[in-house]
Amino acid sequence: MKILAIDLGKYNSVACQLDISSNQPEYETIGTHRYYIEQLLTKTQPELVVMETCSITVWVHDLCMSLGYRVLVAN
């Protein structure tokens, strides 16, 4: 299973991809913009996207869902 965790920030976000079979995390900093998040999702093809609730979580959640990804929002 591939999990993509995104630490959302106002201008930049940090993504951590974890493939549980290898247990090796991969980190990447991206701009917090629809284009960059969509590119990240296309590149990583995660089975689950995880993010913490914040002021911009709604549109990122909706973007992920519209592209067919499962999303978990933690409080």
Side-chain angles (χ1 to χ4, degrees), residues 39-56:
Q39 292 297 314
L40 176 68
L41 293 167
T42 300
K43 181 176 79 170
T44 59
Q45 293 291 304
E47 294 170 58
L48 179 64
V49 179
V50 180
M51 65 191 83
E52 187 176 14
T53 186
C54 67
S55 62
I56 60 174

Side-chain angles (χ1 to χ4, degrees), residues 11-74:
Y11 301 107
N12 292 304
S13 297
V14 177
C16 176
Q17 179 180 327
L18 178 67
D19 187 336
I20 62 171
S21 63
S22 66
N23 213 24
Q24 291 294 321
E26 293 180 33
Y27 295 92
E28 181 175 353
T29 300
I30 60 168
T32 305
H33 186 274
R34 179 186 173 97
Y35 171 80
Y36 299 115
I37 293 175
E38 203 167 333
Q39 292 297 314
L40 176 68
L41 293 167
T42 300
K43 181 176 79 170
T44 59
Q45 293 291 304
E47 294 170 58
L48 179 64
V49 179
V50 180
M51 65 191 83
E52 187 176 14
T53 186
C54 67
S55 62
I56 60 174
T57 300
V58 173
W59 73 261
V60 178
H61 170 274
D62 291 348
L63 171 63
C64 294
M65 293 294 290
S66 73
L67 296 172
Y69 294 99
R70 287 185 13 197
V71 180
L72 178 64
V73 177

